[in-house]
Amino acid sequence: MRVIRAAFASCLFLLASAASGDQDALNYLYEPAMPEEYENLLGRMMVHARNAEFEDAINVSQTIVDGAEPLQQNDPTTYGMILTNHGILFTAAGDYELGLSILESASAYLELRTNPFSTEWMNHIMATALAESGLGNLTDAEDTFRRAQHITHRQNGVYSPDQISIINYITANHLKSGRVIAADREQRFTLRISEQEFGPDSPEMLPILTRLGSYFATRGSTMPVALPAEIRLRRDLLFKDSVNMYERAISIIEDQYGNMDLRLLGPLRGMASARLLQVTNRKYAENALQRAMAIVNANPDSDVGDQARALIDIGDLYVITSDRKASQYYLQAWNLLQDSEETRLAATQFFSTPTRLHPRRDDVLYLERKPDAAKNGEELFAELQYTVSAQGKVQHVQILDKNVPNEQVRILRGRLRATRFRPRIIDGEILPTEGLILNQKYHLLSEASLIPDDPDAPIKGNMESGYVDWAEQTCSGSGCAGR
């Protein structure tokens, strides 16, 4: 039996579970013009929704829907918006099926008097696509997102920046279904849109370039170095794209603000992160972080926090690359942060417990078949205890409990020993930390294919960890706006 790492499988890109709903849908609530008594109810509903008080929001929304029944004949467009809001609330609360059903009913009213290419449709269409995506109807969701995108094209042209949020949702759907090359293609299109809108060398390109740098590095990191030449070449190209994005951002900042401006810190750190993830070019990560530290030290606008962060970044790099110089940088940072009560709190946040550095998070692991010893429905797991040394390495790994085969535990122990942590510091002393627990979950993989024959076909399985960082930057709480 083989264990299948999440990095070899397809891409799960869920920002919110079905239990918590997709609160991005709240970005598409309508605010139609209504009589004063309903305006007050609408305001209450909005407040409850923004506070995630969905039961209260739905109750208020139901009152609005009931009271607005005369609008079915008199003003079906407004009634459709009211009903759309009702469906959005159920979607945000996690009841995608009911939410979608209500949204479908709302569309019948909007269709009566609303031009099919009117922007008045946009909120309804986006909410519908999110509900479809939440249900796992990814093909339907993409078609619906494409409808929204088509409206932006009709209204503002093929390169309308209004479509970037839609493209990021389409990217997310591609990643969910494992169509990674299609996802990459969508992200490259956002670059073209932004260049058309702002100009390739505009400072307004900076957030787009750094976001795409993170995306391409994260994508590349999900493809291990030890792969066939064709796949490895694709991996190298992704990292090349990532580095190019950061280099462009650095060049824009240097041209606009000078080569010692603090704005350089973001892309320099992004560049270092990309090089670390790339593995084969880690020496360039040190150059980027050393330059970041020189900028911080030379800039009169930097503070103790900036200086400590620069030191910690280099310390983290040295831990990951097993360089003993890490300790001196950590201690310098810790000493700097003893300056005030506020900075001492920051020191506690950085150093009170070991911080996992590489790999960034635990992958879900996959088994091709259920172990013979495991009962039906029983969660598959291995629980290990370990120590993080003062150098950030894992030592003294012990098995506490398991229901997966010994072969899988040996693999897991090897993975854990290769993990690197920022060690803790107590009273100015770097200390080992004993008794840490890893409870590793395993899932069954129904199909064992790892790399598809068709390079744009879905890869089986799950690659959640590879996309979480990009997801958080790109989509969390912002409608995947990316701008």
Side-chain angles (χ1 to χ4, degrees):
M1 186 186 299
R2 277 183 299 148
V3 63
I4 299 177
R5 291 188 55 182
F8 280 83
S10 81
C11 319
L12 180 66
F13 192 77
L14 297 176
L15 299 180
S17 68
S20 61
D22 192 336
Q23 294 185 29
D24 271 4
L26 298 177
N27 294 320
Y28 301 103
L29 288 167
Y30 284 107
E31 296 185 43
M34 300 182 67
E36 184 177 350
E37 63 270 24
Y38 288 104
E39 288 283 357
N40 293 334
L41 286 172
L42 185 64
R44 283 175 51 198
M45 184 198 78
M46 292 287 187
V47 170
H48 286 311
R50 299 302 179 191
N51 291 333
E53 298 163 353
F54 294 119
E55 184 176 353
D56 291 333
I58 289 169
N59 288 337
V60 175
S61 178
Q62 186 64 60
T63 301
I64 297 172
V65 170
D66 293 342
E69 283 187 3
L71 295 178
Q72 293 178 14
Q73 300 295 326
N74 302 332
D75 188 352
T77 297
T78 297
Y79 188 77
M81 291 178 178
I82 292 168
L83 207 54
T84 294
N85 285 350
H86 205 50
I88 286 173
L89 293 175
F90 281 102
T91 298
D95 193 339
Y96 296 113
E97 189 169 0
L98 181 53
L100 184 58
S101 176
I102 295 170
L103 288 166
E104 289 172 349
S105 297
S107 68
Y109 293 97
L110 291 171
E111 286 169 353
L112 291 175
R113 297 184 187 175
T114 307
N115 184 299
F117 300 109
S118 169
T119 55
E120 288 186 325
W121 274 103
M122 291 297 291
N123 288 26
H124 179 277
I125 294 170
M126 294 298 291
T128 300
L130 289 173
E132 291 169 336
S133 183
L135 279 172
N137 301 336
L138 301 184
T139 300
D140 291 343
E142 181 176 351
D143 290 342
T144 307
F145 282 129
R146 293 293 185 193
R147 181 185 172 192
Q149 187 180 27
H150 183 61
I151 291 175
T152 67
H153 290 177
R154 288 282 297 255
Q155 296 292 333
N156 301 308
V158 174
Y159 291 101
S160 167
D162 295 337
Q163 67 187 300
I164 288 182
S165 61
I166 303 168
I167 292 172
N168 283 333
Y169 279 122
I170 292 171
T171 299
N173 267 21
H174 286 331
L175 296 178
K176 286 180 185 179
S177 59
R179 300 185 64 228
V180 291
I181 294 178
D184 297 344
R185 188 164 52 242
E186 295 295 336
Q187 287 304 296
R188 290 189 174 94
F189 185 46
T190 67
L191 179 64
R192 291 174 59 193
I193 293 168
S194 301
E195 289 173 337
Q196 289 278 338
E197 176 72 6
F198 305 120
D201 300 320
S202 168
E204 292 184 86
M205 286 294 298
L206 293 173
I208 292 95
L209 292 170
T210 53
R211 181 180 64 81
L212 289 173
S214 175
Y215 171 84
F216 288 122
T218 305
R219 273 278 293 115
S221 72
T222 62
M223 305 169 71
V225 179
L227 284 173
E230 179 186 352
I231 307 298
R232 192 166 63 249
L233 176 61
R234 196 187 308 165
R235 180 184 191 275
D236 291 341
L237 289 174
L238 286 166
F239 279 110
K240 183 178 180 180
D241 286 340
S242 173
V243 170
N244 180 51
M245 296 299 106
Y246 288 123
E247 286 178 341
R248 285 182 59 181
I250 290 167
S251 179
I252 291 170
I253 294 169
E254 289 174 338
D255 290 344
Q256 295 287 330
Y257 310 108
N259 60 7
M260 296 299 286
D261 191 89
L262 288 174
R263 295 175 184 87
L264 289 164
L265 297 182
L268 284 170
R269 287 169 177 152
M271 174 90 74
S273 176
R275 292 303 196 183
L276 279 171
L277 291 172
Q278 189 176 10
V279 177
T280 54
N281 279 304
R282 284 179 170 174
K283 61 182 178 180
Y284 297 109
E286 182 176 7
N287 296 338
L289 293 179
Q290 289 287 0
R291 182 181 177 189
M293 187 165 68
I295 290 171
V296 167
N297 291 338
N299 199 302
D301 293 328
S302 66
D303 57 22
V304 169
D306 295 325
Q307 295 164 16
R309 168 71 187 276
L311 290 164
I312 291 168
D313 285 342
I314 295 178
D316 290 348
L317 167 68
Y318 287 149
V319 164
I320 292 169
T321 57
S322 299
D323 190 321
R324 288 186 172 272
K325 294 197 295 286
S327 297
Q328 70 188 62
Y329 285 93
Y330 285 147
L331 290 174
Q332 286 181 56
W334 191 89
N335 287 326
L336 274 176
L337 292 173
Q338 304 312 302
D339 185 59
S340 67
E341 182 176 348
E342 182 180 1
T343 57
R344 283 193 292 274
L345 177 61
T348 300
Q349 293 172 340
F350 279 120
F351 294 115
S352 61
T353 60
T355 301
R356 184 178 180 132
L357 300 176
H358 182 78
R360 292 178 180 175
R361 60 191 77 235
D362 289 321
D363 294 335
V364 175
L365 299 183
Y366 287 82
L367 299 176
E368 290 181 0
R369 63 178 177 82
K370 182 174 70 68
D372 295 335
K375 300 176 182 177
N376 288 334
E378 184 179 17
E379 186 177 65
L380 302 176
F381 73 98
E383 187 175 63
L384 306 181
Q385 180 177 286
Y386 62 98
T387 295
V388 170
S389 74
Q391 288 73 45
K393 296 182 178 180
V394 173
Q395 299 175 337
H396 311 308
V397 179
Q398 296 180 320
I399 304 169
L400 299 182
D401 198 5
K402 67 179 180 68
N403 62 0
V404 296
N406 291 334
E407 175 193 359
Q408 312 311 326
V409 177
R410 285 194 297 271
I411 294 171
L412 180 60
R413 290 179 70 170
R415 285 164 49 85
L416 184 55
R417 289 194 182 102
T419 303
R420 295 292 179 266
F421 290 80
R422 182 190 306 143
R424 65 178 176 139
I425 299 178
I426 304 297
D427 295 330
E429 184 179 1
I430 301 178
L431 299 173
T433 305
E434 301 175 348
L436 296 169
I437 302 295
L438 170 65
N439 196 315
Q440 179 65 56
K441 306 298 183 186
Y442 292 79
H443 291 173
L444 294 178
L445 188 69
S446 58
E447 299 182 50
S449 175
L450 299 181
I451 303 296
D453 295 330
D454 176 358
D456 200 25
I459 309 171
K460 307 301 180 185
N462 180 321
M463 200 183 282
E464 178 178 10
S465 65
Y467 295 95
V468 167
D469 294 328
W470 181 76
E472 288 172 350
Q473 288 190 44
T474 308
C475 296
S476 182
S478 64
C480 290
R483 289 190 66 198

